[in-house]
Amino acid sequence: MMMSQATCFWEERQHKNLKTKDKILIMTKVCPKVEVEEKRMCEAVVESISADVSFASNQFPSYKLGPDDQIIDEPEEDDKGPSVKDVVDKETGDLSDQHKRLSVRDLACKFDKNLASAAKLVDEAKLNEVTSLEGHVMLKKLRDALEFMRGRMDGRNKEEIEKAISMVEALAVKLTQNEGGLVQEKFEVKKLANFLKQASEDAKKLVNQENSFACAEIESARALVLRLGGTFEEQELCSKASRALGPNVEKLVDEVQEARRIKRMHKPTKVIGMQHELRDIKSQIQEKSAYSVKLQREIAIIKRAEGSKSCPYVLDGAQSLGSCLKIRASSESALDISKCSIQWYRAASESSRREAISGANRPVYAPEPFDVGRVIQADIVSNGQKFAVTTDGPINTAASLQSRVESLLRKSNSEFTVVISQMNGQDHSSRSHVFTVGKARIKLSRGWITKARDIYSNSMQLCGVRGNANVPAKSLFWQPRKGLTFLLTFESEQERNAAIVLSRKYAYDCNVTLVGPDD
């Protein structure tokens, strides 16, 4: 009896599997059907497009038979073609009809129906999983019952029970195999459902896109019709006006052309004359300005010569960046310069207001980049008398300083080899150090030992040396922060000036101005 129940259950399960496979096969035939529909739509589009072609005549030519069966053509009627407005209206109507033919709403509806069928198959697959689980439970219970009976039976009955157990195990194996097939079928059904869902979304997007394209074409056609109508009206009005005016317009056109010809003939000559006059005026202005500069220089030389007769001191040294200006006595009656009080000044010109250079009170002064383009002066107080010496003109820049600074600006950090001459105002003998000028800070180090490392701030000061130094043109004063000062000596005057220019530029980018003490 138990064997007959198992056999009935197996036959019922096979019947359900066959039904499921038939449904899967039906679903797999949906895509070819959709492809056939798409093909029919494309053929319809081709036919509709080919139908839009216009021929010279839409019927066979009419003719007559003359004697001896000769064909005699009938004379063609000289009909005028349709107007442009009628052609545009016809094209607008054709575009709207074509938009209706190219619609894919039916295709989208079919995709939605197939998607619903796929979802239904997925639900049936879930029910089949539940049924399969119940079958495993029933086979397990049946095998346990047969095992229990085999322990109590002997002889021939025991052999029959063992055969029944083997049959139950075979059924379990087949059930497992069928479950594997159902899992694969379920995967295929889900894959098909996803494909149909994506196809449905694509069809909806295509519907909206084609609709927008058709609407845009219709609107452009309407705008074209309006523009053509306006143009035709304007042309008609212009033709009527020209016919009304007649010969007066032709005469006026001839007069305008003659006036233009005369203007073209005389205009270039007038312009060339004005250009020559401008050139003469510019040359005269340049000559007068050069003569004025020459006179100013001569006046300055005369004044300086008159002042030098009364001043016992003179200024020696090249008046350019990288050199040293030195005051010396020019007469034997002059007091020793080391016993005099000295103060250096800088000014925009000899007659303009000057500003004192703080700390510059030695007979020697080395100009720094800030002094370029300015006049350097010095006041000397000797035995209660005050004398003044000045440079012949503004301080000139060094020839190769600009190129050196441009090459250093391409680097993130610029390193210079220096020697510490003084530290906190005291003489200091040291080995060579590295003075690193960066975009955010300045560092003084030797190997892995760092003497100072500070970011640009308002408490930082940096300028050319103004006090006592062995080589003023190569020396630099640096105060990283309050309470710490250095007097650094570079390898050359160019390196010292380049370091000053770089540090002031980077500090200016950080909204900090690097100047000397009390500036």
Side-chain angles (χ1 to χ4, degrees), residues 92-108:
T92 305
D94 293 340
L95 282 175
S96 61
D97 295 339
Q98 187 177 6
H99 167 64
K100 293 179 181 179
R101 289 197 297 273
L102 291 176
S103 177
V104 290
R105 291 187 179 89
D106 297 336
L107 184 61

Side-chain angles (χ1 to χ4, degrees), residues 16-82:
K16 288 183 178 180
N17 290 339
L18 290 174
K19 287 184 178 181
T20 304
K21 289 181 179 179
D22 292 336
K23 290 180 179 180
I24 296 298
L25 291 174
I26 292 170
M27 284 301 300
T28 53
K29 293 180 180 179
V30 171
C31 291
K33 185 178 181 181
V34 173
E35 293 178 356
V36 172
E37 293 293 334
E38 291 179 353
K39 186 174 180 181
R40 291 178 179 176
M41 291 289 292
C42 294
E43 292 177 354
V45 171
V46 173
E47 292 175 0
S48 61
I49 292 174
S50 61
D52 294 338
V53 180
S54 60
F55 297 94
S57 176
N58 56 358
Q59 61 184 357
F60 289 102
S62 58
Y63 55 89
K64 294 182 178 180
L65 293 176
D68 299 332
D69 295 333
Q70 293 182 355
I71 297 174
I72 301 174
D73 295 333
E74 291 185 354
E76 296 180 354
E77 296 181 358
D78 189 10
D79 295 333
K80 294 184 178 179

Side-chain angles (χ1 to χ4, degrees), residues 335 380-387:
L335 186 65
I380 306 165
V381 179
S382 175
N383 291 331
Q385 295 182 353
K386 186 176 181 180
F387 304 98

Side-chain angles (χ1 to χ4, degrees), residues 352-371:
S352 62
R353 183 180 178 182
R354 61 183 187 175
E355 60 180 8
I357 303 173
S358 61
N361 49 18
R362 299 285 179 178
V364 177
Y365 175 73
E368 62 167 276
F370 193 68
D371 298 326

